[in-house]
Amino acid sequence: MLKIAMGQMEVIPGHPDQNTAKILSMIADAKKQSVDLIIFPEMAVPGYLLGDTWEQSSFLKDCERYGQDIIDASTGITVMFGNIAIDWSKKNNDGRVRKYNALFTARDGKLVQPDNMPYPYVIKTLMPNYREFDDTRHFFSLQKLARELGTTPDQLLSPVTLKIKDRHYRVGCLLCEDGWSDNYEMEPIEMLRRHHKPDFFVNISASPYTLGKNDKRNRVFGAQAKDAGVPLFYVNAIGLQNNGKTIYTFDGSSTAYNANGDVCAVSEEYTETLTIIDLDSLDKSTPVDKSKEKDIAHIYRALHYGVKHFLENIRMKKVVIGISGGIDSAVAAALYAKVVGPENLLLVNMPSVFNSETTKGLSQQLANNLGCQYMIVPIQQSVDHTIDQLEHTPMTYLADGSTTNLSVSSFVTENIQARDRSARVLAGAAAAFGGGFTCNANKAETTVGYSTLYGDQSGFLAALADLWKHQVYALAYYMNEEIYGREVVPQGIIDIVPSAELSNAQNVDEGKGDPLKYPYHDYLFRSFIERWEKAAPQDILEWYAAGTVEENLGCEPGLVAKYFPTAKDFIDDLERWWNLFCGMAIAKRIQAPPILAVSRRAYGFDHREAQNGPYYTRRYRELKEALLNS
């Protein structure tokens, strides 16, 4: 009987001391339970998303020393763990020291060398260099090493042979991306299966959570186990890691698949745990029920875990939120109240002359429902003062001494209100309260920059900025029904028309609100950012000409005709938002707070962009001319 433990642990990026302490603690627990083999995640010692910390030689040497501590602790147990491996005698392509993303296997204080590898560890073969990943910047792959040695990866790829209880096991070891090989020129798992016939596979991972990823992994990894006819153990990290602009939760969900590809054991998500499996009875296990929860349940858990850990990381215990009576700030307030507690949450309503009694009343109702700290800070006096100063302070042209005065337009007045709320009231309140204030933007607003720079786009974190507006509404219902079990976000806030209330043109009592038609624009904007083959105006216009816009976007049928009676209306709307998406919105996103990622493509480092301005292809211009002249 071979007892295998999946050591699902929180990996704290850039802190090998804390990570190693956790690994050693879990090894000790595993020994007490007579575990034969314990497996830890990819880069369990240093963390994975570290930026250019990978260029610090002192940090690399520290990781080596902590790795040796783990090797020394392997007496009486076999330990597999992820760490950085360094060949100090060689260079990467950038001229810095050679680094490998590696899987180490230790037994009785010594490393077990893979059968054909030139090093005493397994080297990651496939280097992801898309989305949030930047592996080729830092690590040398097995592919490159094979070329350097004048051989091929399938000659170097080989099992780790373990002798446990007088029995030999050939283990096919993979690192994360090596199991996601569909779009690569080689399949490491197939090479191992074909040439070496392992007794089981191990995939150690540092795989961030995104909506739907676990279901896809179960399909892919389950098929791999079934095709090979042997079990597969996937061990993932939990925790929070980031690359500056985009923050990722790691949900764990470590999984054991039997030889039939069935899910036989799953570690609880976002939880440090040892999941122990008997290899010999794995095929007899009852497959785990993989019935699907609602997507919004997964999203809520990712947001709650991400916000909680982000606040812990920056040592912030108190939060200030500006609430307007709208859905975004209300959902943010309900979320943060669960994370920090109502006693540590201050909601601030900041009405101007344009704010209705309806939204002011809804703000009060939300605060009452949450039982948190609440204050009302009217801004009209300070806004009027700012406008008066700007319009009545002479502006002197120093070349000839002439003077003129600025004129503040209604549009500028809107921006003054937004900046007064954030840069003056919320920033001051947060400092006095001893915390920070949030950015409550959703993904649709972030896409087209429908926010005010240094105003409502400010804050320490944009927790909802990877959620489309319809997901924000779904989250409101979910928290009311499942998390609180009562109406916390007032139904009136859910029902009211979304509006910034910055002018009479946005009077909610008259049904006037944002220029965004969220049932349509959520899906249009999603095609710009989340499709793997990103859509551009040419694609949208081709779908319009073919009458398949809703089908391709995935929105409700009939919306195009409802919102855009003519081709000109449709084209004008498309160009309005495309110009913003490729224009001013980029400048705003660059300066925006970090975003907590939950989707397949979040803004920030996940979506790399340059300020090049909008572009329309020749084909687009031809289609536009034809449609307008038809």
Side-chain angles (χ1 to χ4, degrees), residues 76-129:
I77 191 171
T78 302
V79 182
M80 289 184 169
F81 65 98
N83 195 6
I84 190 70
I86 306 102
D87 186 336
W88 296 98
S89 67
K90 293 185 177 180
K91 301 290 185 184
N92 270 357
N93 292 343
D94 61 1
R96 294 186 174 90
V97 68
R98 175 74 57 85
K99 298 179 286 293
Y100 300 108
N101 183 342
L103 182 156
F104 291 81
T105 303
R107 175 77 184 187
D108 293 329
K110 297 179 180 179
L111 287 177
V112 181
Q113 184 157 342
D115 296 355
N116 299 337
M117 284 279 184
Y119 296 103
Y121 42 79
V122 176
I123 298 169
K124 192 171 184 177
T125 303
L126 305 178
M127 296 281 111
N129 202 43

Side-chain angles (χ1 to χ4, degrees), residues 127-175:
M127 296 281 111
N129 202 43
Y130 54 85
R131 291 204 62 210
E132 69 269 25
F133 304 111
D134 208 10
D135 285 28
T136 57
R137 179 180 177 90
H138 306 295
F139 312 125
F140 208 78
S141 70
L142 187 71
Q143 290 174 287
K144 288 184 178 181
L145 178 63
R147 286 196 296 270
E148 183 179 82
L149 297 176
T151 184
T152 59
D154 60 341
Q155 295 298 311
L156 298 180
L157 270 172
S158 51
V160 174
T161 301
L162 303 177
K163 184 180 180 181
I164 303 175
K165 295 178 179 177
D166 296 322
R167 180 176 171 181
H168 287 85
Y169 297 91
R170 293 163 65 78
V171 186
C173 296
L174 306 161
L175 290 98

Side-chain angles (χ1 to χ4, degrees), residues 117 146 265 279 312 324 327 343 348 386 390 423 451 495 504 515 580 598:
M117 284 279 184
L279 179 67
E312 289 173 354
S324 61
I327 189 66
E343 70 278 9
V348 186
T386 300
L390 293 175
S451 58
D495 293 337
N504 285 322
L580 286 169
V598 296

